[in-house]
Amino acid sequence: MKQIIYNTIGTCSRQIIIDIDDNNVVQNCVFIGGCMGNTAGISALVKGMKAENIIERLKGIKCGMKPTSCPDQLSQALQDAIK
């Protein structure tokens, strides 16, 4: 099991803390800052999912006119972690 601490860029959330097991399955995910309901929902949905599937589903999602979003930042954090 490893813990990833990812400092987000371009979003309301400031940081994402992710616990991922040796099979690349997310065991826990917590956003620091951001829209509490949305980030709590994302965290609940990705728990138990493989990182590869999360990346595939969330990569490239934008928030309004921003070039990124909290889900996109989560996909980037996971992509960096499983290289």
Side-chain angles (χ1 to χ4, degrees):
M1 178 93 65
K2 65 181 169 180
Q3 186 173 75
I4 303 155
I5 299 174
Y6 184 82
N7 295 316
T8 61
I9 298 169
T11 61
C12 298
S13 64
R14 299 179 308 278
Q15 193 173 66
I16 308 170
I17 302 168
I18 310 158
D19 295 322
I20 188 168
D21 69 18
D22 296 334
N23 295 313
N24 289 340
V25 174
V26 171
Q27 298 300 316
N28 194 37
C29 176
V30 176
F31 287 80
I32 307 301
C35 303
M36 180 130 175
N38 290 335
T39 56
I42 294 165
S43 296
L45 289 170
V46 301
K47 187 175 180 179
M49 286 182 66
K50 290 196 64 81
E52 296 86 348
N53 295 337
I54 296 167
I55 294 165
E56 183 180 312
R57 288 184 181 193
L58 301 182
K59 187 174 183 176
I61 292 175
K62 297 179 181 180
C63 183
M65 298 301 289
K66 296 178 185 178
T68 190
S69 65
C70 291
D72 182 56
Q73 289 291 293
L74 175 57
S75 75
Q76 290 182 38
L78 292 170
Q79 197 165 9
D80 290 352
I82 64 169
K83 285 183 182 176

